């Protein structure tokens, strides 16, 4: 399943700061339709994503009926991404 969407980068401050892009509702609904085939446990969904020139593999976290795409430093720094920035995401859900 391939998806493309835009979203604002949000920061969650816990023991260490984490950055995420919330997946919009329509795309989250599409992901939920294949979640049972894609999840490897705890509701996380493996994906390959692209933001700008950076391609990376990660897992979506379920949150309040939707999903969050985590952004590691290795993704944010080359693209100069900070909390509050709007980014365009191309993403492939890896169905097992």
């Amino acid at each position: 399943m391939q998806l493309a969407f835009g979203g604002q980068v949000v920061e969650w401050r816990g023991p260490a700061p984490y950055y995420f892009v919330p997946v919009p509702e329509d795309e989250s609904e599409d992901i939920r339709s294949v979640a049972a085939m894609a999840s490897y446990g705890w509701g996380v969904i493996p994906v390959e994503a692209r933001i700008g020139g950076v391609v990376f593999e990660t897992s979506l976290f379920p949150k309040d009926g939707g999903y969050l795409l985590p952004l590691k430093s290795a993704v944010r720094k080359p693209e100069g991404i900070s909390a509050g920035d709007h980014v365009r995401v191309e993403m492939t859900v890896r169905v097992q």
Side-chain angles (χ1 to χ4, degrees):
M1 168 182 292
Q2 295 182 328
L3 304 166
F5 58 90
Q8 185 174 7
V9 177
V10 296
E11 181 180 10
W12 176 79
R13 290 192 173 265
Y18 291 91
Y19 297 84
F20 300 95
V21 177
V23 177
E25 179 58 35
D26 287 346
E27 287 79 3
S28 289
E29 186 175 321
D30 290 341
I31 294 166
R32 281 192 299 273
S33 73
V34 298
M37 294 180 292
S39 179
Y40 56 85
W42 304 288
V44 297
I45 307 292
V47 298
E48 179 180 277
R50 172 188 294 272
I51 296 177
V54 179
V55 177
F56 58 103
E57 292 185 2
T58 190
S59 293
L60 301 176
F61 295 169
K63 174 81 167 122
D64 300 330
Y67 295 93
L68 298 174
L69 175 68
L71 302 180
K72 296 178 181 179
S73 293
V75 175
R76 293 188 330 273
K77 288 185 180 181
E79 294 294 317
I81 297 170
S82 299
D85 289 350
H86 191 272
V87 295
R88 184 83 181 144
V89 177
E90 295 174 14
M91 186 171 70
T92 301
V93 175
R94 296 192 317 247
V95 178
Q96 300 179 16

